[in-house]
Amino acid sequence: MTVTVETTGAFEIPKPLNELSESEIVRKAHIGRVSTEVLRYLTDALTGRGFTWLLPVIFSKSTDPLWPDPGASIEKRVETEIYGETVRTTLSMIIHKLVASSTAYPRFFVLSPNVRIEKRERKATGWHTYEFTQLDFEIRGAGSKDVKRLFEAVIAGLIRHAKKQARRDLTYLGRYGSLKAPVTPFKAHDREDLMAKYGAEWETRLPQEIREPVWVTNIPREFYDFEDPATGRWDNYDLFVPKYGEVLSGARREWEYGRITAKMERDGVKKESYTLLLRMAKEGKLKPSAGAGIGVERLTAWLAGAKHIGEVQAFPKVPGVVYDL
Ligand code: AMP
Ligand code: MG
C-alpha cells in the first residue's frame, strides 16, 4: 500500500521502510541506535536496582478500562474468542501489575505491547500510535515519592548514557547539544493549578512552556489510582517533557475492595470484567503498591527529536494508517 506523506503541523506522517529515500534510511538507522541505547539503559537501570524482568501478555479477560481518563480516545476495543472465552488485547498491563506485585513479583517491570485503536484524528498529534510499548513497572509498598525519585535518577542517567553511547547518532539528529541532563528533583505542578493557568488545554500548553521535565500530580482518572477519600486528591503523577508532552503515567494504587468497587460503580466500569482482581481485593490479597508506565517510543522520540512518534517505530502504527507491515 502506498500512502502519500502528509505534513500535519510540526509533524510528518512516517513512511514504511520500503518507501524511504537513501537519506531517510540513514536517519531511521540513527534513530534505531538511539532506541537501542534507551532499551539497554532502562533495562540495566531496573535490573541493577533489583527489579525482576517479566515478559508481556497479549490476550486476557481483564485489561485496563482506560476509563475515565481525560487523555483516552479509543475508536475500537479489540476482542476475540479463544477456547470459548472472550479475551481482549492488552490496553495496558495495570491489572496484571496489581496481581503480580501483590504475589510473586514485589518489584518488577515488563516491556509490554499495548494495542490501542486511537481515534484516527490522533494521526495529527504526532504523539499517538495504535501499537506501542510501555516499560511498565510496579513496586509493592512504595509511595509516589519513591517512584518519582527513582525515575528522576533514571531519566537523568539515561540522558547521560545516550549522550555518551549514541553521541554520533544524536549529533546527526541535531539533538546532541540541545539534550541536557535535567536537574533533579523535577518541579511538580498540581493539575488544578495548571487548569487555572492554561485552562482545559493544559496538556498541550504545558509542553510548550517548559524547558525541563516536570511532574503533574492530582489527575482524576481510572479506579486503580489512589484517591484520598478525605481530601479528594489523587495520588498520581505524570511526567511531561518539553515540546513532546506526557511520557509517563503512574500512581500509588488502590488495594481495598470497598474503595475499588465504589469507584467502579461511580465510573460505570463493569465489575464482571475484573472478577479476579475483585476476588483478590475482597480476600485482602491485594497489597499497596505504586508504579508507572513509560511510553518507550515517546521517550525515544523526545531524545531523538523525532518528527512523529511513528518515526521511532521500524513499522509505524499511525492512527488511521494501516501499512502492509
Ligand atoms: P497511559 O496509561 O495512557 O498513561 O499510557 C502510559 C504511557 O504510554 C503514556 O505516558 C505514554 O508515554 C504512552 N502512550 C499512551 N498512549 C500512547 C499511544 N497511543 N501511542 C504511543 N504512546 C502512548
Ligand atoms: Mg497517561
Side-chain angles (χ1 to χ4, degrees), residues 42 133-136 151 155 239 247-249 292-296 299:
L42 293 179
T133 302
Q134 280 202 54
L135 186 143
D136 223 352
F151 254 75
I155 295 284
L239 186 66
V247 293
L248 169 153
S249 279
I294 190 156
V296 176
L299 182 69

Side-chain angles (χ1 to χ4, degrees), residues 5-61:
V5 176
E6 297 168 53
T7 312
T8 52
F11 296 106
E12 212 173 85
I13 302 304
K15 292 191 279 190
L17 287 174
N18 58 300
E19 289 181 22
L20 298 180
S21 67
E22 289 294 320
S23 66
E24 286 166 339
I25 284 177
V26 171
R27 182 178 160 85
K28 194 88 176 174
H30 280 296
I31 295 176
R33 281 192 288 270
V34 174
S35 174
T36 302
E37 293 306 330
V38 169
L39 288 168
R40 179 149 78 120
Y41 182 83
L42 293 179
T43 51
D44 277 358
L46 294 181
T47 50
R49 286 172 170 86
F51 282 74
T52 299
W53 186 349
L54 303 188
L55 293 173
V57 296
I58 304 291
F59 291 129
S60 305
K61 290 191 197 178

Side-chain angles (χ1 to χ4, degrees), residues 64 66 69 71-72 91-92 114 116 118 122 127-134 221-222 224 238-239 246-250 293-299 309 319:
D64 195 330
L66 289 183
D69 181 342
L91 287 164
S92 93
N114 289 193
R116 297 189 189 173
E118 300 278 0
R122 285 204 157 173
W127 211 218
H128 293 90
T129 52
Y130 64 87
E131 279 184 35
F132 63 94
T133 302
Q134 280 202 54
R221 55 187 179 207
E222 292 91 344
Y224 46 76
D238 279 7
L239 186 66
E246 181 208 312
V247 293
L248 169 153
S249 279
I294 190 156
V296 176
E297 294 88 346
R298 278 196 196 170
L299 182 69
I309 181 177

Side-chain angles (χ1 to χ4, degrees), residues 190-202:
D190 188 299
R191 187 234 358 139
E192 283 178 7
D193 297 336
L194 295 174
M195 293 271 281
K197 190 166 174 196
Y198 301 118
E201 300 297 300
W202 67 268

